[in-house]
Amino acid sequence: MSDSLEQTYTDGVLAMNKYIIERNIPDAGKLTQEQLSGISQTSCCVLNELGPEIKWLESYVTGDKIYCVYLAESEDIIRQHARQGGFPADNISMVTAIINPSTATLA
């Protein structure tokens, strides 16, 4: 998506909200590629079990946190994914707008 201010996104016939999940994981930035792959595999297995109501788009690994971007029908299914996968979900925020450099030209 470019600079759209939409709050819901469609994935097939499901209308889903975009969420940013903050996961506090000490030394996340020091995880090896093998460890990150294992975390990703666990996440994907749980997502397959939960069905089309939740979709993982991407994640950003920093020093002590991982920020994940998801499409989901609700915050509840994100929490369910975290519980089943054994992941923290310390802060879940619904995206209400998206801005980027092209947003400056919309005025």
Side-chain angles (χ1 to χ4, degrees):
M1 299 210 62
S2 59
D3 58 350
S4 173
L5 301 180
E6 296 176 31
Q7 291 186 19
T8 58
Y9 305 85
T10 57
D11 183 22
V13 295
L14 296 174
M16 297 191 282
N17 293 308
K18 185 175 277 189
Y19 292 91
I20 307 296
I21 299 97
E22 180 180 336
R23 304 182 192 282
N24 292 311
I25 300 174
D27 293 323
K30 296 179 183 176
L31 292 170
T32 66
Q33 191 61 43
E34 185 175 293
Q35 290 170 313
L36 291 170
S37 178
I39 291 168
S40 297
Q41 289 171 7
T42 299
S43 179
C44 288
C45 287
V46 174
L47 290 168
N48 286 336
E49 291 173 12
L50 292 175
E53 294 83 18
I54 183 170
K55 182 177 181 180
W56 176 28
L57 299 180
E58 60 190 351
S59 295
Y60 301 91
V61 180
T62 66
D64 288 321
K65 297 177 190 243
I66 298 179
Y67 296 91
C68 303
V69 182
Y70 277 74
L71 295 179
E73 287 188 334
S74 69
E75 188 175 313
D76 291 338
I77 197 161
I78 292 170
R79 291 196 186 285
Q80 184 179 353
H81 171 265
R83 278 191 305 275
Q84 286 182 228
F87 310 119
D90 301 293
N91 191 21
I92 301 171
S93 300
M94 187 174 80
V95 174
T96 58
I98 297 173
I99 62 172
N100 61 38
S102 67
T103 306
T105 63
L106 294 178

